[in-house]
Amino acid sequence: MGARVSRALRNFNLEQRAHGEIGRQQPRPAPRHPGTEALLQQQLHDNPQVNEVHIKSEKLVSFLKDVYVDSTDAPSKKLLIDEKSKQVPEYRLPKATLNHEPFGIKRVPKGKLSIVEALTVLNNHKLQSQVWTADKIAEEYSLELQYVKGLLEFFKPFEIKLLPPKQDKKEQITAR
């Protein structure tokens, strides 16, 4: 009920109010301080070209009419992205899987590894680095060589460092 009343009041005499707003003059600039009047007059006297900015020059208007611009836009990035997304990705069968793998991965996009494959690659390289080189891994799993080198350099999940316990002499506290 309240919405109907407020809507009726909001729309009351709407057309006449709109015409009033349209017919209203533009806002006047704020009045200048009387102390700055002398400075403004001196600036206008020293720089007469300031007033020339507001005068319409027929010479400049004719120059503008003679200008013809013909431009073509470069293809937008969005179109390029759409074209790439329309390409059908190539898949390959996984090289290593677990029998109880929760997601049941049946195919892997070329250029990518599943988690099981990544761990297998890292383990094979660690155990037999002469056989499993970066080149062979890139060829076997359809990966780019630079990514394989980065994988082998920065991912070391099987490195375990054991720190020896501190050998402090401990005193036994006896009850008195």
Side-chain angles (χ1 to χ4, degrees):
M1 181 70 181
R4 287 182 181 176
V5 172
S6 65
R7 190 176 309 121
L9 289 175
R10 185 177 59 226
N11 294 337
F12 176 72
N13 203 9
L14 182 65
E15 189 174 342
Q16 186 178 0
R17 287 187 290 146
H19 284 295
E21 286 294 323
I22 293 170
R24 186 179 295 168
Q25 292 181 354
Q26 295 294 325
R28 294 182 311 146
R32 300 182 189 266
H33 189 273
T36 61
E37 189 65 34
L39 291 172
L40 287 173
Q41 292 299 329
Q42 180 162 352
Q43 286 296 326
L44 289 174
H45 185 282
D46 293 344
N47 302 312
Q49 67 270 18
V50 172
N51 288 333
E52 293 176 8
V53 172
H54 301 292
I55 299 171
K56 185 176 180 179
S57 172
E58 292 300 325
K59 179 180 175 184
L60 295 176
V61 171
S62 67
F63 287 157
L64 279 177
K65 289 180 180 178
D66 293 341
V67 172
Y68 176 75
V69 178
D70 185 22
S71 67
T72 56
D73 290 338
S76 66
K77 292 180 181 179
K78 185 176 182 181
L79 293 176
L80 294 176
I81 292 171
D82 289 343
E83 290 173 4
K84 288 180 182 178
S85 65
K86 289 179 183 177
Q87 295 175 354
V88 178
E90 296 182 34
Y91 289 96
R92 62 175 178 79
L93 295 174
K95 304 283 183 188
T97 58
L98 295 175
N99 293 339
H100 56 281
E101 191 171 354
F103 301 113
I105 297 174
K106 303 284 188 232
R107 57 190 186 150
V108 179
K110 286 190 176 180
K112 297 193 179 199
L113 288 174
S114 68
I115 294 174
V116 176
E117 289 176 333
L119 294 175
T120 305
V121 163
L122 291 171
N123 192 31
N124 288 346
H125 179 71
K126 183 177 181 183
L127 296 176
Q128 302 171 343
S129 58
Q130 290 82 18
V131 176
W132 288 95
T133 62
D135 295 326
K136 182 177 179 184
I137 293 170
E139 182 182 330
E140 185 78 20
Y141 289 92
S142 303
L143 300 170
E144 291 187 28
L145 184 61
Q146 64 179 4
Y147 296 139
V148 173
K149 287 181 180 177
L151 177 75
L152 296 176
E153 182 181 350
F154 297 112
F155 289 94
K156 308 275 184 197
F158 300 113
E159 270 187 26
I160 299 174
K161 294 182 182 179
L162 297 175
L163 301 174
K166 292 183 180 178
Q167 298 294 332
D168 291 340
K169 292 184 180 180
K170 299 179 182 176
E171 297 178 10
Q172 186 175 8
I173 299 175
T174 58
R176 292 188 191 193

